[in-house]
Amino acid sequence: MNGGRTITSVITIAALGLALAPPARARAQAPPGRGCDPGAITARMTDAEKIGQLVMAVTEDGPDGMPSERTRRAVQDLKIGSVITSEPRTPGLAARYADRLQRWARDTPSHLPLLVSGDFEFGTTHNVREGTTPLPNAMGLGAARDPAQARDAAAVTAAEARAMGFHWNYAPVADVNTNPANPIIGVRSFGERADLVGGLVETQVRAYRRAGMIATPKHFPGHGDTETDSHLGLPSVTYDRATLDRVHLPPFRRAIAAGADAVMTAHVVVKAVDPDLPATLSEKVLTGLLRRDMGFGGVIVTDAMDMDAIDRNWGTREATVMAVRAGADVIMSTGDYTAHAQAVDALGDALRDGTLSRARVDASVRRVLGLKCRYRVFDHRYASPAAAERISGNPAFLRRALAMGVAATTLVRNDDGVLPFDPGSKARTLVAGVVQTGEFADEVAAVARGPVTSWQAATPTPPTPR
């Protein structure tokens, strides 16, 4: 009963990210620009410029919605090499935002371009909320069981993101979500089976590379079996090494084999490898397991270093140096300008006093510059706001995204036989879901003779069981 009204039909939109439609053809990745030699560039750089390449700063907005004066100082005074943007509201604004950042970088003595990055797990809508193509989350793509849908999702995301001036996406999520009580991964994972997750991760890595976008499988070596949100505490997993090898590492192995150019670390203690330190700070995990055992030669980027799992236990300065010593190439500094300055200062001090060797720093600088060469950031610094508006959320993308949403829709239960839905019935229908439920309910109401009620969850993240 609901306010005296009997609900006789229930449609559940689970794991769906109802989006509407995708990509033109993915553009083949162009070869690096001529004369773009990471080693030669590194040899010409000052120590301060090298250190800057190892720090990624989150941007801050000014009153006009564009990057602030403190962000300019981070780019020009701290000499940072990459940014993760705040959330520009529209594609045109995002392109103008990225262009301003690149002009600031051009006006530094080294003239090095920035890598501009974003979290686009379910399309660019994840961070650019208006005028973009909303796509199913990873669980929705996993429910579709169709690599072609996952490939299309990556191609749409890359086309829109590149048009807005982004080069680097923190996706796909390679975590195998084996723990139903996991408070942070949930619908962000393709599923609970290593073969399903691995296949879709591999598909998306290949699609992103074809479209000229840096893919970043995360969170290494796996965040799927945790019961603690690393934003709020330090998770620890106690499964044995055999379980790690059988369940959690296969998607990362497939991503590496597919040519992934970056991997993001997990703020998780994996006791089977290092019982004392989270992966982000562990040489055993990053250099031993990921680089030596799994043969990964690309860029290792940390998850956000202001998350409580790291910040409360080690603090910015100590954790920054520990992460680079462990094998990380890029420190994701997601605090304010003071945090960015602390990260840069800590690495500079560590280089001067020998805590970090020059060889270790130079190796990371070459990897970061290698990404900039490989993805032609030197040749294509700037975006076109008009093109960003034209490409993002275009009708073809919306049609393809709708097809993804339909493919992702999963019948969980039909005990009363109310499905298939009878549009001629005068009974009340409840449409319930976690995203875009109102839009779905409107479509049902357009064909139903009876009244339609909708309910949408307050958050897509499942609550932690008490």
Side-chain angles (χ1 to χ4, degrees):
M1 301 293 288
N2 181 16
R5 298 172 297 184
T6 302
I7 296 172
T8 58
S9 300
V10 178
I11 298 175
T12 302
I13 323 170
L16 201 159
L18 195 61
L20 323 206
R25 208 166 278 146
R27 173 174 64 80
Q29 184 180 329
R34 263 187 232 158
C36 195
D37 182 341
I41 297 170
T42 302
R44 297 194 298 267
M45 294 169 69
T46 66
D47 285 351
E49 290 168 342
K50 291 178 181 179
I51 290 300
Q53 294 299 301
L54 274 57
V55 177
M56 169 183 293
V58 67
T59 63
E60 174 188 83
D61 297 347
D64 59 352
M66 296 290 280
S68 69
E69 171 62 16
R70 292 205 298 181
T71 297
R72 183 200 63 76
R73 290 170 56 202
V75 172
Q76 296 190 329
D77 298 346
L78 301 181
K79 302 174 177 59
I80 59 167
S82 52
V83 294
I84 179 168
T85 68
S86 61
E87 298 190 355
R89 188 170 49 83
T90 66
L93 178 61
R96 292 192 296 274
Y97 197 104
D99 285 353
R100 180 171 293 182
L101 293 168
Q102 294 291 12
R103 285 194 293 272
W104 285 339
R106 180 201 59 198
D107 291 340
T108 61
S110 68
H111 312 299
L112 293 175
L114 294 165
L115 285 169
V116 181
S117 68
D119 247 328
F120 303 129
E121 292 178 16
F122 49 88
T124 55
T125 299
H126 192 156
N127 275 281
V128 183
R129 303 289 180 171
E130 298 178 18
T132 50
T133 304
L135 300 174
N137 52 46
M139 186 182 287
L141 294 174
R145 299 291 197 273
D146 184 357
Q149 302 289 356
R151 183 166 53 248
D152 279 358
V156 172
T157 302
E160 293 189 348
R162 287 308 310 263
M164 290 183 249
F166 293 95
H167 316 99
W168 196 347
N169 183 15
Y170 299 120
V173 173
D175 301 315
V176 182
N177 197 47
T178 57
N179 190 336
N182 195 322
I184 187 59
I185 300 303
V187 298
R188 301 168 65 195
S189 168
F190 290 117
E192 78 287 355
R193 287 177 17 214
D195 59 338
L196 171 68
V197 175
L200 296 181
V201 165
E202 178 182 346
T203 294
Q204 288 209 320
V205 167
R206 293 188 188 281
Y208 278 122
R209 293 195 76 216
R210 280 195 300 272
M213 187 103 196
I214 303 165
T216 315
K218 63 183 183 184
H219 308 79
F220 186 84
H223 207 319
D225 192 24
T226 59
E227 294 186 9
T228 300
D229 180 351
S230 51
H231 293 83
L232 306 175
L234 180 59
S236 178
V237 290
T238 59
Y239 49 68
D240 59 20
R241 179 58 192 261
T243 300
L244 177 66
D245 286 333
R246 184 181 71 255
V247 177
H248 300 285
L249 292 184
F252 291 99
R253 293 189 188 280
R254 294 182 70 167
I256 292 168
D261 287 300
V263 167
M264 180 180 285
T265 68
H267 300 332
V268 176
V269 176
V270 181
K271 293 194 173 183
V273 183
D274 188 335
D276 302 314
L277 294 172
T280 297
L281 308 182
S282 171
E283 186 172 358
K284 293 177 183 177
V285 174
L286 301 188
T287 299
L289 177 59
L290 182 54
R291 289 230 187 270
R292 186 182 61 237
D293 297 350
M294 298 175 66
F296 179 64
V299 167
I300 299 175
V301 56
T302 72
D303 205 345
M305 295 294 274
D306 71 337
M307 290 161 60
D308 285 350
I310 299 297
D311 191 46
R312 283 190 179 180
N313 293 285
W314 288 275
T316 297
R317 291 186 62 89
E318 182 179 4
T320 294
V321 176
M322 289 176 69
V324 174
R325 288 190 68 185
D329 300 300
V330 174
I331 301 297
M332 184 184 287
S333 177
T334 44
D336 57 14
Y337 177 84
T338 300
H340 310 332
Q342 286 179 347
V344 168
D345 288 347
L347 292 174
D349 289 346
L351 179 60
R352 283 186 289 273
D353 68 21
T355 303
L356 286 174
S357 71
R358 188 165 300 280
R360 173 69 198 85
V361 170
D362 285 356
S364 286
V365 173
R366 286 193 297 271
R367 290 190 191 103
V368 173
L369 294 175
L371 282 186
K372 296 182 181 185
C373 290
R374 196 171 308 123
Y375 286 84
R376 300 195 58 151
V377 184
F378 288 87
D379 301 327
H380 304 288
R381 292 177 187 245
Y382 303 111
S384 163
E389 294 283 0
R390 184 177 67 253
I391 290 169
S392 300
N394 71 70
F397 283 12
L398 294 177
R399 286 193 298 272
R400 273 304 304 135
L402 178 59
M404 293 179 215
V406 170
T409 304
T410 303
L411 178 61
V412 178
R413 191 172 66 232
N414 192 25
D415 294 345
D416 297 326
V418 297
L419 297 177
F421 175 65
D422 178 9
S425 171
K426 294 183 179 180
R428 180 173 297 278
T429 301
L430 169 66
V431 179
V434 295
V435 290
Q436 295 181 281
T437 309
E439 291 91 329
F440 195 90
D442 289 345
E443 294 296 323
V444 173
V447 298
R449 290 185 63 192
V452 176
T453 299
S454 66
W455 173 87
Q456 181 163 311
T459 171
T461 303
T464 303
R466 296 185 182 278

